[in-house]
Amino acid sequence: MSSMSRVVVTGGAGFLGSHLCDALVADGHEVIAIDNLSTGQVRNIEHLFGHDRFKFDRHDVTNFIWVPGQVDIVLHFASPASPIDYLELPIQTLKVGSLGTHNVLGLAKNKGAKVLVASSSEVYGDPETHPQVEEYWGHVNPVGPRGVYDEAKRFAEAMTMAYHRSHGLDVRVVRIFNTYGPRMRPSDGRVVSTFLTQALRSEPLTVFGNGEQTRSFCYVDDLIRGVLGVLWSDHVGPVNVGNPGEFTMIELAEMVREITGNNVPIVFDDLPADDPSRRQPDISLLSEITGGFEPRVDLRVGLTRTAEWLAGELEQV
Ligand code: UDP
């Protein structure tokens, strides 16, 4: 753990960005959150307003980023990240991964700051190796609907490594696997928020395809701990961050019914284009560079906490 740093978090009002702001402020750092609020929400960070080590700047990082004073670290988490969001905002998704990443790297170079860029398990596309290791180059359809996110993240990684090689910038890259927890929007379209919201409203659970596709779900607190572990490590280059516990969508649906106590029916719908058939992180590298990282929150516990939070959200709607 480093001493107090001045940290810029892009996407700071988003799901992961806001949890990062919380963790950094709690650890004694000064945080400047930047967000254009396209998918982020002020309510995710409003509890930090008034804190003397927190500032919020509403700004779109695809435009030049201006931050006065010293900056020690930049964490680039700005991007639509749920499939329905990036399918609705395809050009903005490509821009924030390309122009946004370029601006972030330029800011870091100008300030002599370390940069951590949020990449994604989507860089592996529909993977042909299982579990996915960092050395795997991926299997992505560049022109399909999901390609806007996958290729934006692949470009962001390439640009980040180019700044490291050409300018000696101190960089970190995290490949984030499916993450869930409080502050997911009930309508963000991701499977965990969707199933929990449906069960809490006594609606059928919409399983896409035959439900045999798998994902490995990481609770947000574990994810943030993993990301900060990579930040404070010496490892340059991509690192998977996630929880290797792998489940089919049918298994997830059954667990959601059990946890909410609501035995709603399961209905089947079309599988979205290029939906990966399976996904599981190999986190050996993460464990090695962080002195033994392990996820602590199992799916049942994490889903219960998320259900409680979503129930509170739904009451307010
Ligand atoms: N999915 C589903 N029902 C839903 C939403 C998603 O069966 O209502 C499936 C989706 O097809 C995918 C998995 O759940 O196979 C995870 O989807 P999500 O959008 O959460 O994230 P992804 O890993 O695909 O980016």
Side-chain angles (χ1 to χ4, degrees), residues 81-84 86 121-122 146 149 178 184 188-192 194-195 198 205-209 211 213-215 217 249 252 270-272 275-276 279:
S82 152
I84 60 163
Y86 57 73
S121 55
E122 283 283 326
R146 291 178 89 103
Y149 185 70
N178 294 66
M184 298 184 92
D188 79 354
R190 287 169 162 134
V191 69
V192 170
T194 303
F195 283 1
Q198 288 168 337
L205 307 186
T206 52
V207 169
F208 296 164
Q213 71 273 32
T214 69
R215 294 293 187 272
F217 299 101
M249 295 311 103
L252 178 70
D270 292 343
L271 191 66
D275 196 283
R279 181 182 285 161

Side-chain angles (χ1 to χ4, degrees), residues 286-308:
L286 175 63
S287 169
E288 185 189 316
I289 66 172
T290 55
F293 172 90
E294 277 180 27
R296 293 178 187 151
V297 181
D298 79 24
L299 187 56
R300 213 170 285 273
V301 173
L303 284 179
T304 306
R305 287 186 202 164
T306 309
E308 281 163 14

Side-chain angles (χ1 to χ4, degrees), residues 219-290:
Y219 188 66
V220 64
D221 293 359
D222 283 333
L223 194 281
I224 297 299
R225 207 162 39 82
V227 167
L228 293 176
V230 175
L231 176 68
W232 304 127
S233 81
D234 293 332
H235 187 83
V236 170
V239 182
N240 292 336
V241 183
N243 182 334
E246 186 185 9
F247 298 85
T248 68
M249 295 311 103
I250 295 283
E251 287 169 335
L252 178 70
E254 281 163 0
M255 207 181 281
V256 164
R257 292 203 291 203
E258 183 193 313
I259 278 162
T260 56
N262 208 342
N263 205 22
V264 289
I266 291 176
V267 295
F268 291 88
D269 214 331
D270 292 343
L271 191 66
D274 300 326
D275 196 283
S277 56
R278 54 194 190 155
R279 181 182 285 161
Q280 183 188 36
D282 181 317
I283 59 165
S284 318
L285 177 61
L286 175 63
S287 169
E288 185 189 316
I289 66 172
T290 55

Side-chain angles (χ1 to χ4, degrees), residues 8-122:
V8 170
V9 180
T10 78
F15 168 45
L16 296 182
S18 65
H19 282 283
L20 269 175
C21 291
D22 282 345
L24 290 162
V25 168
D27 284 346
H29 302 289
E30 183 180 339
V31 173
I32 301 152
I34 303 179
D35 205 302
N36 69 353
L37 302 179
S38 68
T39 59
Q41 296 179 289
V42 166
R43 56 201 297 239
N44 289 340
I45 47 170
E46 64 191 356
H47 57 282
L48 291 170
F49 290 173
H51 196 294
D52 59 1
R53 283 185 284 103
F54 182 79
K55 283 194 189 67
F56 173 60
D57 179 10
R58 182 171 184 173
H59 177 69
D60 181 339
V61 295
T62 65
N63 299 312
F64 185 86
I65 308 167
W66 186 76
V67 179
Q70 170 197 338
V71 175
D72 305 302
I73 295 169
V74 186
L75 305 177
H76 183 32
F77 278 70
S79 179
S82 152
I84 60 163
D85 287 337
Y86 57 73
L87 296 181
E88 197 179 314
L89 303 167
I91 295 171
Q92 290 91 327
T93 302
L94 281 158
K95 283 176 71 180
V96 75
S98 54
L99 307 179
T101 303
H102 190 207
N103 288 334
V104 160
L105 293 166
L107 170 71
K109 177 167 164 269
N110 178 24
K111 302 285 187 180
K114 184 198 274 191
V115 185
L116 181 144
V117 170
S119 182
S120 167
S121 55
E122 283 283 326

